[in-house]
Amino acid sequence: HRLTSVQHADLVVVIDEGKIAESGTPEQLLQENGLYRHIVELQRNSPRELFESDLERRLRLKRGASS
């Protein structure tokens, strides 16, 4: 999803591999160095195609590291 659609939300819940990875307001999550912030930075700085491929790569690496 494009995160501009949730920038004014009261609560954002980030789900990774079926589990809650983090939650809070968009402002709180941007202050953390978590998945939400990473995705926001990717969307701000990357064309959509690069964002999607980098996100997929990051999630693959994370899954491999947690196995």
Side-chain angles (χ1 to χ4, degrees):
H1 299 288
R2 297 299 295 178
L3 296 178
T4 55
S5 60
V6 299
Q7 65 187 357
H8 300 293
D10 294 328
L11 178 67
V12 174
V13 178
V14 180
I15 299 174
D16 185 23
E17 296 183 16
K19 297 180 183 173
I20 296 175
E22 53 193 0
S23 64
T25 66
E27 294 82 17
Q28 291 169 329
L29 295 175
L30 284 173
Q31 292 180 12
E32 297 176 12
N33 193 24
L35 187 57
Y36 179 86
R37 180 176 169 177
H38 180 75
I39 294 170
V40 168
E41 289 173 354
L42 283 173
Q43 285 188 3
R44 286 182 181 160
N45 300 319
S46 301
R48 184 177 180 100
E49 299 80 28
L50 291 176
F51 162 73
E52 289 173 350
S53 62
D54 186 63
L55 178 59
E56 290 171 359
R57 180 189 58 77
R58 184 176 187 273
L59 291 174
R60 241 188 341 271
L61 290 172
K62 183 178 180 193
R63 287 184 187 121
S66 65
S67 299

